[in-house]
Amino acid sequence: MKVLFVSPGWPKGRLWGELGFKFPSLSLAALAAVTPPEWEVGLWDENIEPSPPATDADLVAITAMTPQAPRAYRLAAHFRAAGKTVVMGGFHASNLPDEALQQVDSVVAGEGELIWPELLADFRAGRLQPVYRSGSLIEMTAIPVARRELFGGKKYLFTNTLQTTRGCPFDCEFCSVTAFYGRKYRKRPVDSVLAELEGLRRKNSFAFFVDDNLVADRNYAMELFAGMRGMGFKWLSHAPIDFADDREFIRAAGEAGCVGLFVGFESLNQEALKAMGKVTNSSRSYLEAAKVFRDHGIGILGSFVLGNDHDTPDVFPQLLRFCEKARIEAAIFPILTPYPGTEVRRRLEVEGRILSNAWEDYDMEHVTFTPKGMTVAELQEGYDWLNRSFYSFGSMYKRIWKLHRSVQVFAPMNIGFRAALRRKMKV
């Protein structure tokens, strides 16, 4: 029996579709790792290989985030027309299984590792069920090493992506992580993570931990950092801005090879932070915190959500000035997006403010709701202006011109984002 794992492409003319650097889907490699050995597995990533393959697979498994869902459905129709059975998982199908079932034969809702072997057994026995949902969250000791050999021969920037924890103890209004992984913070044994890293470092000195918050458990992270010291990795992950408050902790991350962290600033307005549930953030300390990150050799990929109820058109130049003053090495400026399964979607639905369910526009680049402090056009135009301004050569010079060990990552990142934005404007 054969299964083909499919990662749909991002549309051209959208930022994520125009970025030149591509990363593989770790979730599909994780499912491949729990696929019984009698199954032959393959991977087609449309972001790398544009044309659908002619396949003799018995089963096609598609994963998709919300903006990829329309493309995933079209691909499902393509494969079903060729006589294939198609199953779908990921954030979108997990939150809207009834919708997905109109397009595919079966849906895996939530974490798939526990239930995937059961689905395969049912398929072989001719009793495939419409929905598979694990009765519990997977114990992190049960997660096998991802089958990265699936990525071989594909033009990824690098394939050293791994996950050490799942879940988040916080519950920000706009975030879909807790709806999928839960609020319980679960950790893989440090020894197994270090063993995996030992194998990865023979292939590439860079690594990316996809954890939504690598440092939520101090003792766990400190043990991991101690084990990584001397391994020679240059790595990136996610952490909250208050990570800077613990100098010993952040120093340990830097000594373990951390060169960059994704940090959710989200807003410069403390009332807005409170409303969205971002309890770890104090906007008054942002400038000092950014300096602490930099002083320990760690650059920042900042995230600032645009269009919350406290935002007015003044927010766009304010954010640009702050980022340049704080020397934020790189940033994304997502428009608030009411993803299925999030608290913000439930609130905006009650308030009658959802403008569109065109899922392809749920890419954090398009306005899909009615803002309070500005018009739809002002929010869209402000988003476009802020991205162009932040990734202008003048702003890049102000933010990253001083030599710093993170420049080796963030200088190419800035160039990549700038090029993607320019290609996007031409489409």
Side-chain angles (χ1 to χ4, degrees):
M1 301 291 280
K2 297 182 180 180
V3 57
L4 177 68
F5 293 107
V6 173
S7 182
W10 290 90
K12 290 296 182 182
R14 310 293 174 104
L15 176 61
W16 304 108
E18 296 295 341
L19 281 172
F21 41 87
K22 310 294 185 184
F23 297 93
S25 169
L26 186 61
S27 63
L28 293 180
L31 281 189
V34 295
T35 299
E38 62 268 24
W39 282 80
E40 183 180 331
V41 299
L43 170 68
W44 175 53
D45 185 342
E46 192 179 21
N47 296 287
I48 302 294
E49 303 160 302
S51 300
T55 179
D56 59 351
D58 303 282
L59 187 68
V60 174
I62 305 177
T63 186
M65 292 183 282
T66 293
Q68 296 171 298
R71 179 57 181 163
Y73 294 155
R74 291 193 293 273
L75 290 174
H78 166 81
F79 286 113
R80 292 176 92 189
K84 309 302 180 184
T85 298
V86 178
V87 300
M88 184 172 173
F91 276 60
H92 189 77
S94 295
N95 285 309
L96 296 175
D98 291 341
E99 176 192 287
L101 279 173
Q102 297 176 36
Q103 311 290 336
V104 302
D105 299 292
S106 183
V107 166
V108 177
E111 294 180 328
E113 290 95 342
L114 288 178
I115 207 71
W116 179 244
E118 179 181 329
L119 182 151
L120 294 177
D122 285 354
F123 174 75
R124 294 193 71 174
R127 56 171 185 261
L128 187 69
Q129 303 299 306
V131 177
Y132 288 84
R133 189 188 304 271
S134 178
S136 61
L137 296 173
I138 190 171
E139 293 294 330
M140 299 298 281
T141 54
I143 294 179
V145 174
R147 288 182 61 177
R148 293 184 181 82
E149 67 268 22
L150 292 180
F151 306 147
K154 302 184 189 298
K155 296 179 181 179
Y156 293 115
L157 180 62
F158 66 89
T159 60
N160 281 1
T161 58
L162 69 161
Q163 188 176 45
T164 71
T165 64
R166 288 185 182 179
C168 182
F170 307 108
D171 194 13
C172 298
E173 185 188 43
F174 56 82
C175 184
S176 55
V177 169
T178 49
F180 192 86
Y181 286 123
R183 292 191 68 177
K184 181 181 178 182
Y185 190 68
R186 294 166 288 146
K187 299 155 286 187
R188 286 177 63 194
V190 169
D191 287 347
S192 73
V193 176
L194 294 175
E196 185 173 357
L197 284 167
E198 189 63 42
L200 294 179
R201 73 171 175 166
R202 292 194 291 268
K203 299 178 181 178
N204 196 300
S205 62
F206 283 92
F208 177 52
F209 295 93
V210 302
D211 305 50
D212 293 286
N213 186 348
L214 183 64
V215 298
D217 184 319
R218 188 184 194 277
N219 291 336
Y220 175 83
M222 285 292 277
E223 183 182 353
L224 177 63
F225 296 160
M228 291 182 66
R229 194 175 299 123
M231 293 185 77
F233 275 108
K234 302 165 187 174
W235 57 270
L236 302 95
S237 190
H238 302 67
I241 189 63
D242 66 346
F243 185 39
D245 296 343
D246 189 333
R247 300 301 204 276
E248 180 187 19
F249 200 6
I250 197 169
R251 184 182 309 114
E255 291 172 351
C258 181
V259 294
L261 289 169
F262 180 97
V263 176
F265 291 87
E266 316 309 1
S267 177
L268 303 181
N269 184 305
Q270 196 62 40
E271 288 303 309
L273 292 169
K274 181 180 178 181
M276 67 178 69
K278 198 73 179 180
V279 297
T280 61
N281 286 28
S282 172
S283 57
R284 293 187 300 274
S285 64
Y286 279 177
L287 281 173
E288 176 59 27
K291 182 177 183 300
V292 172
F293 274 72
R294 191 166 53 252
D295 288 346
H296 288 86
I298 300 172
I300 291 175
L301 170 58
S303 174
F304 301 84
V305 178
L306 305 176
N308 68 72
D309 288 352
H310 292 78
D311 282 351
T312 67
D314 292 336
V315 72
F316 308 112
Q318 289 171 358
L319 283 172
L320 181 62
R321 288 194 299 269
F322 166 78
C323 288
E324 292 177 348
K325 185 175 182 181
R327 288 174 51 202
I328 302 299
E329 285 83 356
I332 60 171
F333 303 96
I335 294 173
L336 181 68
T337 304
Y339 290 113
T342 60
E343 285 300 319
V344 72
R345 182 171 185 86
R346 285 186 275 272
R347 177 171 65 83
L348 293 178
E349 283 180 333
V350 169
E351 295 172 2
R353 294 168 60 190
I354 303 290
L355 294 175
S356 168
N357 286 330
W359 300 131
E360 63 271 16
D361 289 338
Y362 277 57
D363 56 1
M364 302 182 293
E365 300 178 59
H366 294 82
V367 184
T368 57
F369 72 103
T370 303
K372 272 193 175 179
M374 64 186 95
T375 66
V376 168
E378 286 173 328
L379 177 52
Q380 189 68 62
E381 291 165 6
Y383 165 85
D384 293 333
W385 175 87
L386 182 54
N387 276 281
R388 289 194 308 271
S389 300
F390 183 85
Y391 285 108
S392 67
F393 284 125
S395 181
M396 289 160 58
Y397 177 78
K398 292 176 184 176
R399 294 181 288 102
I400 60 174
W401 68 273
K402 289 186 178 179
L403 288 178
H404 185 269
R405 72 173 187 169
S406 69
V407 170
Q408 62 187 308
V409 172
F410 286 97
M413 188 182 297
N414 274 259
I415 296 298
F417 272 113
R418 175 183 169 83
L421 288 165
R422 291 173 67 84
R423 285 193 292 269
K424 171 186 166 181
M425 288 186 290
K426 293 177 180 178
V427 174

